[in-house]
Amino acid sequence: AQSVTQLDSQVPVFEEAPVELRCNYSSSVSVYLFWYVQYPNQGLQLLLKYLSGSTLVESINGFEAEFNKSQTSFHLRKPSVHISDTAEYFCAVLSNTGRRALTFGSGTRLQVQP
Amino acid sequence: NAGVTQTPKFQVLKTGQSMTLQCAQDMNHNSMYWYRQDPGMGLRLIYYSASEGTTDKGEVPNGYNVSRLNKREFSLRLESAAPSQTSVYFCASNPGISNTGELFFGEGSRLTVL
């Protein structure tokens, strides 16, 4: 079985500052890793994913995440945040065997202040 | 293009009442999922259907039943609602063939059990 830990439940940050949202996972098999974003009163949307290949993956709106197998981490970063990035961010893992369904972390609420 | 549609969006029940949450997708996806979202707990998988005609339990199936009516529709039933089932419920779908994990979510159904 796999699990996901997001250590920070809330991250307040000022506009144009850098941010890192932390995600660690545990699994006995190879996994795929994901970040989803949820804006207020909406469903979740895929932000970025790591399946294989380059360990650094990027989204179209400036976020990036790096897969670190030795540390079992997949932290999400952005060098300069905007007010519009205020949302809840969920890290998720999918093992390539067994149950074919995502396991989500508890979420991190990013609050960008002017 | 509607994507994943959930009904109702809001519902208030009394303890012991029954109800069904409806979900339909128009993307010809094979796999469908029901998650519940609770504060500080992220999303937890209730049931999923890898393909038409199959359903499987997730992490928190107790108190729920599901029906994969056809390829488009996947309903979630609460036979005897309890206050612990107060939550936001999300339906999601996935193409399912290669299943690289990207889920497409509905906007959620907010259920309150008094």
Side-chain angles (χ1 to χ4, degrees):
Chain A
Q2 60 259 18
S3 65
V4 179
T5 301
Q6 293 181 246
L7 292 170
D8 307 302
S9 60
Q10 294 189 69
V11 174
V13 63
F14 288 107
E15 194 173 18
E16 297 184 5
V19 71
E20 178 180 80
L21 307 183
R22 296 179 292 169
C23 173
N24 289 89
Y25 71 93
S26 65
S27 176
S28 58
V29 298
S30 296
V31 296
Y32 303 136
L33 293 158
F34 306 82
W35 278 99
Y36 279 78
V37 58
Q38 183 181 32
Y39 299 104
N41 299 315
Q42 295 185 24
L44 280 70
Q45 306 169 36
L46 180 67
L47 186 61
L48 48 75
K49 62 184 176 183
Y50 169 77
L51 303 180
S52 64
S54 173
T55 57
L56 184 66
V57 291
E58 299 177 352
S59 72
I60 59 173
N61 58 353
F63 282 94
E64 64 180 29
E66 185 161 19
F67 171 55
N68 188 319
K69 188 174 182 179
S70 63
Q71 297 186 8
T72 60
S73 67
F74 191 55
H75 301 330
L76 182 70
R77 302 183 182 95
K78 189 170 185 180
S80 176
V81 294
H82 302 289
I83 295 286
S84 60
D85 293 323
T86 295
E88 190 151 19
Y89 293 80
F90 293 92
C91 184
V93 62
L94 176 69
S95 71
N96 55 19
T97 60
R99 180 192 294 162
R100 303 297 289 168
L102 292 181
T103 298
F104 286 87
S106 56
T108 298
R109 186 171 299 279
L110 176 63
Q111 299 166 309
V112 182
Q113 303 164 358
Chain B
N1 192 358
V4 178
T5 303
Q6 294 181 229
T7 55
K9 288 186 168 41
F10 299 94
Q11 184 73 49
V12 179
L13 292 177
K14 295 181 180 178
T15 297
Q17 288 185 317
S18 62
M19 78 157 298
T20 300
L21 299 177
Q22 306 286 355
C23 175
Q25 52 90 9
D26 61 3
M27 296 173 284
N28 201 35
H29 285 173
N30 287 307
S31 301
M32 298 185 74
Y33 307 81
W34 277 106
Y35 285 88
R36 59 177 289 174
Q37 182 179 23
D38 301 291
M41 303 188 76
L43 278 78
R44 293 179 292 168
L45 182 67
I46 305 171
Y47 272 94
Y48 69 107
S49 171
S51 61
E52 185 179 358
T54 69
T55 60
D56 288 284
K57 295 179 180 180
E59 303 168 59
V60 289
N62 291 344
Y64 304 95
N65 286 302
V66 290
S67 296
R68 185 73 184 268
L69 304 171
N70 48 55
K71 191 171 185 179
R72 290 186 64 249
E73 299 172 287
F74 188 40
S75 62
L76 178 71
R77 183 162 178 83
L78 287 70
E79 291 290 352
S80 178
S84 61
Q85 294 178 304
T86 293
S87 188
V88 181
Y89 292 85
F90 286 98
C91 179
S93 69
N94 170 280
I97 297 173
S98 60
N99 196 2
T100 55
E102 180 172 1
L103 295 180
F104 296 80
F105 282 85
E107 294 188 346
S109 297
R110 187 175 296 274
L111 175 65
T112 301
V113 183
L114 302 176

